[in-house]
Amino acid sequence: MTTHPTRIGILTGGGDCPGLNAVLRAVVKEAVFHDIAVVGFEDGFLGLIEDRAKVLTADDVSGILTQGGTILGSSNKANPLRHPVGQREDGSWIYEDLTERCMQNLRRHGIEALVVIGGDGTMSCAKPFADRGINCIGVPKTIDNDLWGSDVTFGFSTAVETATEAIDRVRTTAASHHRVMIVEVMGRNAGWIALHSGIASGADVILIPEVPFILDEIAHVVRLRSKRGKRFSIVVASEGAKPLGGSQIVDRVVENSPDPIRLGGIGRWLSSEIEGRTGVESRYVVLGHIQRGGTPCAVDRVLATQFGDHAMHLLRQGARNRLVVVQQGELTDVDITEAAGRQRLVPLDHPLMAAARSVYTSFGDDPEL
Ligand code: F6P
């Protein structure tokens, strides 16, 4: 007979994302049904470090399916392995490994298993606990869709819907004013949001980090369109896109964050470069955190509910240290440690790349290559 835990912990780590509450709701409702107590830690791993926790009841998660964000709060800076505990005189930070303190907190709450909802950084943070005997079950979250091991993460579809709607709106201004409009979308080092929203909105140029672009090639596309009487162009640029031989534009470095680099600024740069090369007036918009906010779309509500249900299924079956994933359309699970710190980038031979090229969308690269 398999034994399952009677008391579990749950936290949401990393950047917030539509569908987090839907997972919390699924896990807590199912746990309560099976007499499993759920302790929610606030603000991701920070709540575990600082022992900020509360028991979640079915009432706590009632009515949150459609709410964006996370009722538990999140942090994309907290890492128990390397927690800032003070500053030296020269301003540099002093870090300590607080894993043992977190283990004490888990023991105090009688927690046998931990459901961690997050991206690659969160899965990395879970590893030391799995190594110390806490059963960690991961649920893949991120608008970037870049978690290794899963074909899709919840939050991604909502971000694509939001970006697509925004690009559609920008198109009318581009057409009316005969401009190049550049829309900068999120995604870190992965171009999934740009690729999907660019295809969905019929963008003329899609720039993704996986395909370094050539400015003259983008200018060529804009000029060609003008010659054909299309006096405007839409460029969707992933925040991580970079020119051939160049580097990504870093907006800021967030000290103490497991992934300190925050990208941003490519839209502004492209706007002036493209206008300079083509003479066509250019503007840029940065969609930023709008892509992470708001109510999850139906696809994400369903996916998040399935993920939460599968996480509970794994716990009740006695499975250990698994990450819930979707592979080839099937809900399944893999070893959680495999996903830690790994990113799933757009493969250059991905069918969507070919589909985009077949409708004459440029990736700003040399089409002959
Ligand atoms: O990982 C999600 C994400 O929104 C990325 O697309 C983006 O690069 C980053 O988080 C932004 O982080 P922050 O909220 O710290 O600015």
Side-chain angles (χ1 to χ4, degrees):
M1 205 185 95
T2 49
T3 54
H4 65 71
T6 55
R7 204 169 165 84
I8 63 173
I10 193 164
L11 58 81
T12 52
D16 73 325
C17 144
L20 282 168
N21 283 327
V23 180
L24 290 174
R25 170 181 174 268
V27 169
V28 173
K29 284 200 169 190
E30 202 163 326
V32 168
F33 184 78
H34 293 286
D35 282 330
I36 301 171
V38 185
V39 176
F41 289 94
E42 294 172 355
D43 303 336
F45 280 97
L46 193 60
L48 185 52
I49 294 168
E50 296 174 352
D51 196 20
R52 286 188 282 113
K54 58 185 174 201
V55 172
L56 296 173
T57 65
D59 268 357
D60 289 325
V61 296
S62 176
I64 65 170
L65 172 68
T66 60
Q67 278 175 26
T70 158
I71 57 163
L72 281 180
S74 192
S75 164
N76 60 2
K77 288 199 269 185
N79 178 1
L81 271 183
R82 197 169 176 272
H83 187 69
V85 289
Q87 271 177 298
R88 295 187 189 85
E89 269 179 21
D90 63 3
S92 63
W93 285 91
I94 304 163
Y95 296 94
E96 265 180 32
D97 178 354
L98 298 183
T99 309
E100 226 7 84
R101 184 199 286 184
C102 294
M103 284 299 292
Q104 280 167 18
N105 292 337
L106 288 169
R107 282 187 213 111
R108 193 171 18 256
H109 290 286
I111 287 166
E112 300 151 73
L114 192 60
V115 176
V116 289
I117 311 171
D120 58 330
T122 306
M123 299 310 147
S124 301
C125 289
K127 193 174 177 303
F129 300 100
D131 292 344
R132 283 167 174 77
I134 298 289
N135 183 13
C136 292
I137 301 292
V139 178
K141 162 247 68 158
T142 167
I143 63 162
D144 305 335
N145 202 31
D146 64 348
L147 191 69
W148 189 90
S150 191
D151 295 348
V152 68
T153 55
F154 72 84
F156 171 64
S157 295
T158 306
V160 170
E161 290 291 334
T162 305
T164 303
E165 194 198 330
I167 302 162
D168 288 349
R169 286 177 187 277
V170 153
R171 175 178 291 275
T172 54
T173 303
S176 306
H177 290 265
H178 317 299
R179 286 175 178 167
V180 176
M181 292 296 289
I182 296 123
V183 183
E184 178 179 319
V185 298
M186 280 185 165
R188 285 199 305 173
N189 300 312
W192 294 109
I193 298 178
L195 182 61
H196 281 251
S197 62
I199 291 176
S201 60
D204 305 298
V205 180
I206 300 174
L207 304 176
I208 61 174
E210 295 84 348
V211 182
F213 60 82
I214 303 162
L215 276 171
D216 284 337
E217 190 52 41
I218 303 172
H220 172 68
V221 172
V222 170
R223 276 194 227 101
L224 208 64
R225 280 180 55 79
S226 297
K227 247 192 234 163
R228 290 186 185 136
K230 300 275 188 187
R231 296 171 58 206
F232 71 96
S233 293
I234 304 289
V235 178
V236 176
S238 180
E239 61 182 358
K242 56 176 183 289
L244 190 66
S247 22
Q248 293 176 322
I249 300 182
V250 175
D251 174 49
R252 65 177 68 196
V253 178
V254 180
E255 274 258 37
N256 308 331
S257 174
D259 182 4
I261 302 298
R262 297 292 182 272
L263 299 165
I266 186 78
R268 183 190 173 100
W269 182 76
L270 280 169
S271 167
S272 93
E273 291 293 327
I274 294 172
E275 186 169 311
R277 277 174 163 75
T278 60
V280 181
E281 197 179 18
S282 303
R283 293 282 191 280
Y284 69 96
V285 283
V286 181
L287 298 189
H289 293 83
I290 288 169
Q291 295 157 98
R292 281 202 341 224
T295 186
C297 67
V299 169
D300 279 333
R301 294 179 202 182
V302 172
L303 189 62
T305 303
Q306 283 182 299
F307 278 180
D309 172 52
H310 194 71
M312 282 311 297
H313 170 78
L314 289 169
L315 282 171
R316 292 185 51 244
Q317 297 302 306
R320 295 194 65 80
N321 301 324
R322 307 296 291 170
L323 172 71
V324 178
V325 294
V326 172
Q327 288 185 348
Q328 288 164 358
E330 296 289 325
L331 194 62
T332 179
D333 44 272
V334 296
D335 189 324
I336 194 171
T337 57
E338 285 180 35
R342 289 169 82 177
Q343 292 174 359
R344 190 179 73 92
L345 305 182
V346 177
L348 297 186
D349 60 354
H350 193 280
L352 279 183
M353 299 283 296
R357 288 193 202 272
S358 72
V359 292
Y360 305 114
T361 302
S362 166
F363 286 93
D365 56 343
D366 185 344
E368 300 302 319
L369 290 179

